[in-house]
Short mmCIF file of all heavy atoms in Angstrom, two decimals:
data_model
loop_
_atom_site.label_atom_id
_atom_site.label_comp_id
_atom_site.label_asym_id
_atom_site.label_seq_id
_atom_site.Cartn_x
_atom_site.Cartn_y
_atom_site.Cartn_z
N GLY C 334 67.20 191.87 121.54
CA GLY C 334 66.98 190.89 122.59
C GLY C 334 65.97 189.82 122.16
O GLY C 334 65.79 189.53 120.99
N TRP C 335 65.31 189.26 123.16
CA TRP C 335 64.46 188.09 122.89
C TRP C 335 63.19 188.40 122.12
O TRP C 335 62.63 187.53 121.50
CB TRP C 335 64.11 187.38 124.21
CG TRP C 335 63.50 188.22 125.28
CD1 TRP C 335 64.14 188.88 126.26
CD2 TRP C 335 62.09 188.49 125.49
NE1 TRP C 335 63.26 189.54 127.08
CE2 TRP C 335 61.99 189.29 126.63
CE3 TRP C 335 60.94 188.10 124.83
CZ2 TRP C 335 60.76 189.75 127.12
CZ3 TRP C 335 59.71 188.51 125.30
CH2 TRP C 335 59.62 189.34 126.42
N LYS C 336 62.74 189.69 122.10
CA LYS C 336 61.55 190.00 121.33
C LYS C 336 61.80 189.90 119.82
O LYS C 336 60.87 189.64 119.04
CB LYS C 336 61.03 191.38 121.69
CG LYS C 336 59.66 191.65 121.11
CD LYS C 336 59.13 193.05 121.38
CE LYS C 336 57.77 193.24 120.72
NZ LYS C 336 57.26 194.60 120.87
N LEU C 337 63.07 190.11 119.42
CA LEU C 337 63.38 190.06 118.00
C LEU C 337 63.03 188.72 117.38
O LEU C 337 62.73 188.65 116.18
CB LEU C 337 64.88 190.30 117.84
CG LEU C 337 65.33 191.75 117.60
CD1 LEU C 337 66.82 191.82 117.51
CD2 LEU C 337 64.69 192.31 116.35
N VAL C 338 63.09 187.63 118.17
CA VAL C 338 62.88 186.29 117.58
C VAL C 338 61.47 185.79 117.81
O VAL C 338 61.22 184.59 117.73
CB VAL C 338 63.92 185.30 118.16
CG1 VAL C 338 65.31 185.69 117.77
CG2 VAL C 338 63.80 185.21 119.67
N HIS C 339 60.52 186.70 118.09
CA HIS C 339 59.15 186.25 118.41
C HIS C 339 58.50 185.52 117.23
O HIS C 339 57.64 184.66 117.45
CB HIS C 339 58.29 187.44 118.82
CG HIS C 339 58.01 188.43 117.72
ND1 HIS C 339 57.06 188.23 116.77
CD2 HIS C 339 58.63 189.61 117.41
CE1 HIS C 339 57.07 189.25 115.91
NE2 HIS C 339 58.02 190.11 116.29
N GLY C 340 58.91 185.82 116.03
CA GLY C 340 58.31 185.14 114.87
C GLY C 340 58.91 183.79 114.58
O GLY C 340 58.45 183.07 113.66
N ASP C 341 59.95 183.39 115.30
CA ASP C 341 60.61 182.12 115.05
C ASP C 341 60.69 181.23 116.26
O ASP C 341 61.10 180.05 116.13
CB ASP C 341 62.03 182.36 114.52
CG ASP C 341 62.05 183.14 113.21
OD1 ASP C 341 61.89 182.50 112.16
OD2 ASP C 341 62.21 184.38 113.27
N VAL C 342 60.36 181.73 117.45
CA VAL C 342 60.63 181.00 118.67
C VAL C 342 59.77 179.74 118.76
O VAL C 342 60.16 178.76 119.42
CB VAL C 342 60.40 181.93 119.90
CG1 VAL C 342 58.92 182.19 120.13
CG2 VAL C 342 61.05 181.34 121.15
N PHE C 343 58.60 179.75 118.09
CA PHE C 343 57.76 178.54 118.12
C PHE C 343 57.82 177.75 116.81
O PHE C 343 56.96 176.93 116.52
CB PHE C 343 56.30 178.93 118.42
CG PHE C 343 56.13 179.42 119.83
CD1 PHE C 343 55.93 180.75 120.08
CD2 PHE C 343 56.14 178.53 120.89
CE1 PHE C 343 55.78 181.23 121.38
CE2 PHE C 343 55.99 178.99 122.19
CZ PHE C 343 55.81 180.33 122.44
N ARG C 496 64.39 183.42 110.45
CA ARG C 496 65.32 184.52 110.70
C ARG C 496 66.74 183.95 110.81
O ARG C 496 66.95 182.87 111.35
CB ARG C 496 64.93 185.20 112.01
CG ARG C 496 65.83 186.35 112.41
CD ARG C 496 65.46 186.86 113.80
NE ARG C 496 66.31 187.96 114.17
CZ ARG C 496 66.11 189.23 113.84
NH1 ARG C 496 65.04 189.55 113.12
NH2 ARG C 496 66.94 190.18 114.23
N LEU C 568 67.91 183.20 124.17
CA LEU C 568 66.92 184.00 123.46
C LEU C 568 67.38 185.45 123.35
O LEU C 568 67.17 186.10 122.32
CB LEU C 568 65.57 183.93 124.17
CG LEU C 568 64.84 182.59 124.12
CD1 LEU C 568 63.57 182.64 124.96
CD2 LEU C 568 64.49 182.22 122.67
N GLU C 571 69.47 186.10 120.56
CA GLU C 571 68.75 185.96 119.29
C GLU C 571 68.89 184.56 118.67
O GLU C 571 68.88 184.40 117.46
CB GLU C 571 69.17 187.05 118.28
CG GLU C 571 68.94 188.46 118.81
CD GLU C 571 69.49 189.53 117.88
OE1 GLU C 571 69.69 189.20 116.69
OE2 GLU C 571 69.72 190.65 118.33
N ASP C 572 69.03 183.57 119.52
CA ASP C 572 69.05 182.17 119.06
C ASP C 572 67.72 181.54 119.52
O ASP C 572 67.48 181.36 120.69
CB ASP C 572 70.24 181.43 119.68
CG ASP C 572 70.36 180.01 119.16
OD1 ASP C 572 69.46 179.56 118.45
OD2 ASP C 572 71.38 179.35 119.47
N TYR C 573 66.88 181.22 118.56
CA TYR C 573 65.53 180.75 118.86
C TYR C 573 65.41 179.23 118.86
O TYR C 573 64.31 178.70 119.05
CB TYR C 573 64.51 181.36 117.90
CG TYR C 573 64.84 181.14 116.44
CD1 TYR C 573 64.53 179.94 115.76
CD2 TYR C 573 65.51 182.13 115.72
CE1 TYR C 573 64.85 179.76 114.44
CE2 TYR C 573 65.83 181.94 114.38
CZ TYR C 573 65.48 180.77 113.74
OH TYR C 573 65.80 180.56 112.43
N TYR C 644 56.21 185.34 125.98
CA TYR C 644 55.74 185.88 124.69
C TYR C 644 54.25 186.16 124.68
O TYR C 644 53.73 186.77 123.74
CB TYR C 644 56.12 184.94 123.55
CG TYR C 644 57.59 185.03 123.17
CD1 TYR C 644 58.51 184.13 123.66
CD2 TYR C 644 58.04 186.07 122.39
CE1 TYR C 644 59.86 184.20 123.37
CE2 TYR C 644 59.40 186.17 122.07
CZ TYR C 644 60.30 185.24 122.57
OH TYR C 644 61.64 185.36 122.27
#
Side-chain angles (χ1 to χ4, degrees):
W335 53 268
K336 190 183 178 184
L337 269 178
V338 296
H339 67 80
D341 298 277
V342 73
F343 291 105
R496 179 186 180 85
L568 290 176
E571 302 175 20
D572 185 352
Y573 53 83
Y644 284 98

